[in-house]
Amino acid sequence: MAKDAGILIQNIMELLVQEPDGLEFAEIVEQLNQVQDVGSERGLRSLLNRLAKEGKLIKRKGWSRKPGAQPYTYCHPKTQPRQLEIPGIKEYQIHTKNEFEIGELNYEESQQRQKAISVLENIASGHLHQESYARAIIQVAPKLAEKNPVDLVVEMASWVVNDLNQLAADLERKLRRGAVDESKKMAVKLDSQLGWAKRYFQEFWKLYAPVDELPGILELPSQAKHFRLYRQTAKLDEEKAREQLQKRIFGDRLIEEKLLPTDLHKSAAGTDASVADLFLEHTSGSFIPPDPVIVPTSAAALVTNSKYGFPDEYQDFDIFPDKLKDYDDHTAAANGLVLSPALARNFVEESNLQHTRKAAMDLRQYWQDFRIATKEADWRPMGNSPELGTKNKPTLIIRDGRVFPLVHRLRDYESGGLYGQIVRSEIDKFMQVFHNTLLGSGLDNIVYGAAVKSPGMSWLAPLVFWYLYVNKSVVDGRVAVSSAEEVYQYPFADTAVSHLLFLGVAKNASNFSPDRLFVTCRVLRRFSDIALEAEEMSPIISEGDEIRRVGENNPKDWKEFIEQHIAKKRKHYQSINLDIDDYGPFIYLCSKVGVSMCYAAPTSAYALLSGNSGISAHFLLPRLEVAINTERLEREPEHEQECLDGLLSWLAAGHIELDRGHTQSGFDTGHREHSLPILVPDVIVRAHEAATFTRDKLGEEVQDKIRALIAELRKRLGKGH
């Protein structure tokens, strides 16, 4: 028996060492049964759990497309990054920013990402004939690329209005014929499609709804039953829609090929953040479970083009236990430095602890951005020391994750207690970073951008699948998108659709050069678009008996809107602890700050793929963002193009990298949907390494700082363990 158990353990270890993403229990059973009889599944599960408890295996929550509890995944320790071994710490867990972003994806977006990745994997394996969606996108890409994006969105909105009205009319006819059960199903479908149309057209594209006597652009009944109860219909003012979209969309082609300068930046910095949970050890025999100490950290990487033809690399990081000496627990938490166990327990009632962790982590990353923008970063050379006299003044900062704060709602900003303080600190620091980058003068201007690996919403994919549907695109004699529901529930997400479009355009291209980029049209998103919600999504100001819409670039209008917002809350006896002066950073961001977002990749990345897409491996594309001054944009339309070119020029200079380890290991996200690499700016990979693996890069120095942090925390907690 002991011999059989030993053989079983050996087979398990040999199996898992070949699987960097790990295997679920059912997969282990299936593969082991091919080489030996594993006996009872209950016994095998007990064995796996024992091996995990002994540290011979790693057991973590996995990911599943099926509803219900997440399955556990078992991994071999050799396939996972090394953990710190510091006296006083029972466990040390790092949660990356990408993990938080993936956690925010709604079910539909997650499914779309997973479907797209499965399809791309099949294409890479040579099964192109089975993937009609992907082939259809590649096939129509050259023609679709030439279309005006404003025209496309207006035509799509008009189609959706007609489709919703037609569905409502069909529902009414079914009711008249007594088909009640079928009518109920149609009402559920209509409600779902109405909800999607509101999110996509009204919330994202800002085709706002009418309010009282103020006319709107897109009018949608709030519920399916309102079509028949109040004789409401969906309506679109196409002229106003076109006027609004021309303010929101840059570029007169859906996809263009751009030749970009490669000498705009001598150096660029990337930043990333993570949250470390330190589980402090208790005295031997203690029955008290270890309390987590939450430590948000951030780090940066700098890549400088040296005159010798190879890049110099530097790192900066922010583990500052010495700063804690000047703070009490509350102040340290408000500054995003550390969240002690006692304070963490209070958040169960005060707010969602997960949101607090996100806000604190984001605050640390904005601090890192600020240190770079104000030339306060302490850059440490990696590898060979750079030449003496090098001055590291990056003119480009690229964040790992979006430009806008992770916690950004007005209601979060107004929250009481420590949670509200952290959110307000996060918003205020973001404002300071923006002010020190885009509002610099002359040579001090810094391009402030981001690469979003896990976008929370797709804006390109619905447009593409609508185009495939209305044009009845045929692949192998069959219509690829045959149902209108595939428009509302588009199968793929933007990260894959953009790649397939570029691949289709590349098939007709002849110049594959690093300084030539495929770029989609760009879309403007303002900070106010994500900060407001519900009935305030389209902000209104009351002036006597009349109302009017807020002037988006007018700080006075935003201040008046907030004043009326405060008065309304107090009138309804809702608690609010802020005065108008406390909203300064929020008003500033609403009136001045936006991002221009797009998808882009060098044409050289498609040199092999364009020849035979069944041979070469595929990849995903992040959403690229660049911060812009919306107030300045109104006066100088070229401002957006200048900022974007400043970001894209870094890619054109060859500073791109396939992020393989981060997307395949599963260590950072725990999700299998990252089985394909993402093509990102090189500083993003360096920044991620600096944030997550700082302890490996800087060795004993970081461990000494964490030991000092533990000592300081224990002193404060006064638990004497």
Side-chain angles (χ1 to χ4, degrees), residues 199-220:
R199 292 191 300 274
Y200 187 65
F201 290 109
Q202 291 182 339
E203 295 181 18
F204 182 80
W205 291 114
K206 307 309 290 184
L207 304 183
Y208 48 77
V211 179
D212 295 334
E213 69 269 20
L214 284 179
I217 299 176
L218 175 61
E219 185 175 352
L220 297 172

Side-chain angles (χ1 to χ4, degrees), residues 526-556:
R526 302 180 64 101
F527 175 78
S528 57
D529 294 347
I530 65 171
L532 304 178
E533 55 190 334
E535 71 277 2
E536 292 180 334
M537 185 69 69
S538 180
I540 301 296
I541 296 175
S542 299
E543 294 181 339
D545 295 332
E546 298 182 352
I547 60 174
R548 65 178 178 85
R549 298 187 188 276
V550 168
E552 290 183 314
N553 293 330
N554 189 331
K556 292 182 179 178

Side-chain angles (χ1 to χ4, degrees), residues 431-442 444-446 588 592-593 628-632 635 639:
M431 180 200 72
Q432 293 180 40
V433 174
F434 177 85
H435 189 80
N436 281 276
T437 52
L438 266 74
L439 297 186
S441 58
D444 289 333
N445 272 347
I446 297 175
Y588 179 100
K592 285 185 185 293
V593 181
I628 58 174
N629 182 340
T630 56
E631 199 176 48
R632 180 180 171 188
R635 303 188 307 269
H639 168 62

Side-chain angles (χ1 to χ4, degrees), residues 21 114 117-118 121 620 663-664 671-677:
D21 286 333
Q114 181 60 30
I117 289 169
S118 298
E121 286 174 333
L620 305 176
T663 57
Q664 287 186 335
H671 291 273
R672 295 204 169 191
E673 54 189 286
H674 277 279
S675 53
L676 289 174

